[in-house]
Amino acid sequence: MEIGTGKSYAKIILLGEHAVVYGEPAIALPVKSVGLSARVTPQPDGRQTVTSSFFTGNLNAGQLTNFAGIAMLIRRLLIFFNAKNQGFHLTITSALPSERGMGSSAATAVAVVRAFYDAFQTSLSHDTLLNWAAVSEKALHGNPSGLDAATASAERPQWFVRGKAPRSIMMPRNGVLLIADTGVAGQTKIAVGAVADRLKQNPKMYRPLIKDIGDTVRQAALALAQDDIITLGQLFNRDQADLSALGVSSPDLDRLINVAIDNGAYGAKLTGSGMGGCMIALAASDQAVAITTALKAANAAKVWEYHFESK
Ligand code: MEV
């Protein structure tokens, strides 16, 4: 084993969360300015230690709290590399808030897999990377579509359908995406489980919402092809209405979404699994300052600006 490094990005789902679990398409982008890196260093004493903003401890001493999915992933990687008892120190440095819909767990998995493959000097295909990331994502989220890891590992915005190879999709040529954190944790497993329960209990009511989200995403692809940011904003609002009817919005998300719309956004919605976490708003670039100021005044814990023209 050598020193190994790996990186990944925050993911932002533009449209299609939740319905993507049931086979509908989604559109998501990696936010390269909000990144995560993993660095693994061999240790001769056999200790398997981790330092990160959300977990610090000794894996082979059984200190797994908040890290069980990633710990399992690391154990499987070590078995794969025939290095079960190899000592190492893993450092994870992340600009992503966890449990906020920005894909922190998937980004951690992607960077960790890349770092271990680098440490064992083994080439890694994108398919293999996504299969490994699914190990911890399944442990953490139950039924992940794979969208989060596909986006956290991508260099370009993604059109994603579960079980198919993701492909790149063009973004608007200008405008801004504002990403605002409610400051409230939202747990993917709980939100995905709540949607699954509703679909099981009342398919007549909830199935059409999933289908409408899929139609919204397909229309968004057309709007993107025509660089029609105003229609895209309206589709954000339609997606949000469906997600809200699915029960995964929250008063904090609704409040920030309304603030963005009242201050001139073309459209706004939750992003990720919801029930907390982040919202996104699409706007003309010259509205960015006013909307950001208003979101902060409405108690957003943090606001990121993603300018399409500079990408
Ligand atoms: C979570 O970031 C996105 C969801 O669609 C779940 C998934 O795709 O696995 C809610």
Side-chain angles (χ1 to χ4, degrees):
M1 187 192 216
E2 309 287 322
I3 290 175
T5 59
K7 65 169 188 173
S8 57
Y9 305 121
K11 66 94 211 249
I12 288 295
I13 302 176
L14 289 191
L15 296 140
E17 46 274 273
H18 286 289
V20 71
V21 173
Y22 301 95
E24 298 293 344
I27 300 172
L29 51 85
V31 182
K32 295 188 180 174
S33 56
V34 185
L36 184 147
S37 66
R39 179 185 172 88
V40 58
T41 314
Q43 296 295 323
D45 60 7
R47 280 162 28 99
Q48 301 178 338
T49 51
V50 180
T51 310
S52 78
S53 49
F54 43 89
F55 174 85
T56 295
N58 189 336
L59 292 191
N60 53 0
Q63 298 167 335
L64 304 176
T65 324
N66 291 336
F67 205 69
I70 300 293
M72 186 211 279
L73 172 64
I74 294 170
R75 271 203 218 96
R76 297 238 188 121
L77 282 164
L78 291 174
I79 291 168
F80 174 75
F81 286 114
N82 218 354
K84 208 169 145 222
N85 299 317
Q86 167 75 54
F88 63 83
H89 183 69
L90 171 67
T91 309
I92 298 169
T93 310
S94 176
L96 285 74
S98 61
E99 298 184 334
R100 297 298 204 280
M102 292 178 85
S104 168
S105 64
T108 304
V110 165
V112 163
V113 173
R114 283 177 166 160
F116 275 97
Y117 266 70
D118 189 35
F120 287 103
Q121 298 177 306
T122 305
S123 67
L124 174 64
S125 74
H126 198 232
D127 274 359
T128 305
L129 170 63
L130 297 187
N131 286 338
W132 276 117
V135 169
S136 54
E137 287 293 275
K138 273 187 192 139
L140 284 164
H141 298 159
N143 183 19
S145 66
L147 170 63
D148 289 10
T151 313
S153 60
E155 293 296 319
R156 308 262 318 125
Q158 301 284 298
W159 169 269
F160 181 91
V161 178
R162 187 171 192 163
K164 299 201 174 144
R167 60 179 169 82
S168 294
I169 185 166
M170 290 293 288
M171 286 293 110
R173 269 197 284 279
N174 45 49
V176 66
L177 190 72
L178 300 158
I179 306 157
D181 183 0
T182 59
V184 178
Q187 290 195 8
T188 303
K189 193 172 190 168
I190 293 174
V192 170
V195 171
D197 287 347
R198 285 181 191 119
L199 281 166
K200 206 166 153 193
Q201 277 153 21
N202 196 343
K204 260 202 179 126
M205 180 169 171
Y206 291 108
R207 266 276 150 206
L209 297 171
I210 299 290
K211 169 78 173 50
D212 194 61
I213 292 175
D215 290 343
T216 305
V217 177
R218 282 180 279 272
Q219 287 185 31
L222 296 177
L224 282 166
Q226 289 161 4
D227 198 24
D228 180 354
I229 194 170
I230 295 174
T231 301
L232 190 64
Q234 289 161 355
L235 292 167
F236 270 36
N237 295 338
R238 176 167 147 192
D239 196 15
Q240 173 61 21
D242 286 337
L243 289 164
S244 189
L246 273 177
V248 292
S249 199
S250 72
D252 291 306
L253 285 163
D254 292 347
R255 185 168 42 81
L256 294 184
I257 288 165
N258 289 333
V259 164
I261 301 281
D262 290 348
N263 283 275
Y266 297 132
K269 60 180 285 287
L270 66 85
T271 184
S273 53
M275 298 176 85
C278 288
M279 55 75 72
I280 52 175
L282 186 67
S285 295
D286 59 8
Q287 292 291 110
V289 174
I291 299 175
T292 298
T293 307
L295 287 167
K296 285 185 178 158
N299 281 339
K302 185 154 179 146
V303 183
W304 295 262
E305 286 183 20
Y306 182 100
H307 287 269
F308 293 110
E309 58 264 44
S310 60
K311 304 295 163 194

